[in-house]
Amino acid sequence: EVRLAESGGGSVQAGGSLRLSCTASRDRYNAYCMAWFRQAPGKEREAVAFIGSDGTTYRDSVKGRFIISQTAGKKNTYLQMNNLTTEDAGTYYCAGDGGHWYPRICGVYGEADFRDWGQGTQVTVSS
């Protein structure tokens, strides 16, 4: 069983930046697709960014501000978040498919396609 652990959350003012990290408990994490999700209080969890062999995908509201990346072997997956707004606040989760391949591109994976989840890291943005 692989465990994912997020870090890097915190409190920033609007316009600031944070870099979130997701670390797998194995040196090499076999995943075709990994993603960052977020959930604001009272709202449903939503996908923010995906990274897979077919490239990266972002939700429209973060395009041009967020960058998802990962190290070779996929032990670490990052989310660089720039020019943060109060709408970006919430708990951020990383997720991986655990090596289970689905016949569709990474960017359209749903929550159910991800087998491994972290516990989340909190992001607070003040105006």
Side-chain angles (χ1 to χ4, degrees):
E1 178 183 355
V2 175
R3 295 182 300 277
L4 301 178
E6 303 94 339
S7 61
S11 297
V12 296
Q13 290 189 326
S17 298
L18 284 173
R19 188 191 194 207
L20 305 184
S21 299
C22 173
T23 302
S25 58
R26 294 179 181 167
D27 286 342
R28 296 188 67 85
Y29 177 52
N30 181 26
Y32 293 100
C33 180
M34 294 196 70
W36 285 94
F37 288 77
R38 68 186 179 191
Q39 186 169 24
K43 295 186 178 180
E44 294 186 354
R45 188 158 56 186
E46 61 185 19
V48 175
F50 300 81
I51 186 167
S53 58
D54 45 23
T56 57
T57 304
Y58 300 91
R59 71 180 299 109
D60 287 345
S61 64
V62 307
K63 286 180 181 177
R65 301 188 297 121
F66 289 14
I67 300 172
I68 187 171
S69 62
Q70 65 188 177
T71 55
K74 304 173 186 175
K75 180 176 176 63
N76 295 290
T77 301
Y78 305 102
L79 186 67
Q80 176 67 42
M81 307 187 295
N82 301 318
N83 194 19
L84 286 159
T85 74
T86 56
E87 296 298 310
D88 296 317
T91 302
Y92 281 70
Y93 302 88
C94 70
D97 64 19
H100 294 268
W101 179 82
Y102 300 97
R104 48 187 176 274
I105 63 172
C106 175
V108 299
Y109 275 35
E111 288 192 33
D113 295 327
F114 293 99
R115 304 283 181 111
D116 301 317
W117 290 82
Q119 294 299 307
T121 186
Q122 185 69 36
V123 171
T124 303
V125 184
S126 58
S127 58

